[in-house]
Amino acid sequence: MDRTFVMIKPDGVQRGLVGEIVSRLESKGLKLIAARFEILSEKRINEQYREHLKKPFFPSLKKYIMGGPCFLMVWEGRDVVSIVRKVIGATNPQEASPGTIRGDFGNDIGRNVIHASDSHESAAHEIAIHFKPAELFPYTRIDESVIYEY
Ligand code: IDP
Ligand code: MG
């Protein structure tokens, strides 16, 4: 089983999309093993978005993410990193396909509702930034034997 970090951004929380988003990922067959509300500190935002520190949009991205509580999660499943990236859709909601979270709920690249790790390396890094090992709760889904062929 692989793991990925997923975060509903403040616009998603304020628009009441937490339940819908968790439901879509659960229905896909993925397993939620950690979740917490939090207003992220500047330090943790800098760590999570370290590849964007020098980008022109970074100051407004930081203000957006610090603007309210985020809903932080860890999800588990086979190939969960690439599966969740497909479920959330393209970074710019105007280019995200209908049926994806950003395609269905987003309009503006600066208010795109959700974050998810883009590789195994970034997933490991981002989970470690936001969660202690003791805050992760792996378990067996009762429907695992019908979700996966092997
Ligand atoms: P991702 O969230 O799909 O991985 P990244 O390119 O890693 O996309 O960008 C991180 C976040 O920075 C985006 O989700 C979005 O909130 C914000 N962002 C990226 N590019 C722009 C931009 O051109 N203008 C404003 N915000 C942007
Ligand atoms: Mg990214």
Side-chain angles (χ1 to χ4, degrees), residues 9 49 51-52 55 57 60-61 64-65 85 88-92 102 108-112 114-116 118:
K9 296 176 177 180
Y49 288 115
E51 83 259 37
H52 298 308
K55 303 266 174 73
F57 61 80
S60 60
L61 172 63
Y64 161 43
I65 300 299
R85 288 292 292 195
I88 76 171
T91 304
N92 187 345
R102 287 163 168 172
D108 193 320
I109 191 167
R111 294 291 182 272
N112 63 358
I114 188 164
H115 166 88
D118 63 2

Side-chain angles (χ1 to χ4, degrees), residues 57-72:
F57 61 80
F58 187 71
S60 60
L61 172 63
K62 192 189 289 192
K63 198 171 166 202
Y64 161 43
I65 300 299
M66 292 183 80
C70 293
F71 191 64
L72 288 63

Side-chain angles (χ1 to χ4, degrees), residues 97-114:
S97 303
T100 65
I101 291 166
R102 287 163 168 172
D104 288 350
F105 301 117
N107 290 276
D108 193 320
I109 191 167
R111 294 291 182 272
N112 63 358
V113 180
I114 188 164

Side-chain angles (χ1 to χ4, degrees), residues 68-83:
C70 293
F71 191 64
L72 288 63
M73 298 168 277
V74 179
W75 287 85
E76 205 175 74
R78 271 186 218 165
D79 298 320
V80 69
V81 176
S82 64
I83 287 173

Side-chain angles (χ1 to χ4, degrees), residues 15-36:
R15 290 172 57 200
L17 295 172
V18 170
E20 168 77 29
I21 289 168
V22 170
S23 178
R24 285 187 180 206
L25 295 170
E26 280 184 326
S27 303
K28 176 72 178 166
L30 304 175
K31 193 191 299 178
L32 180 62
I33 64 160
R36 181 172 80 243

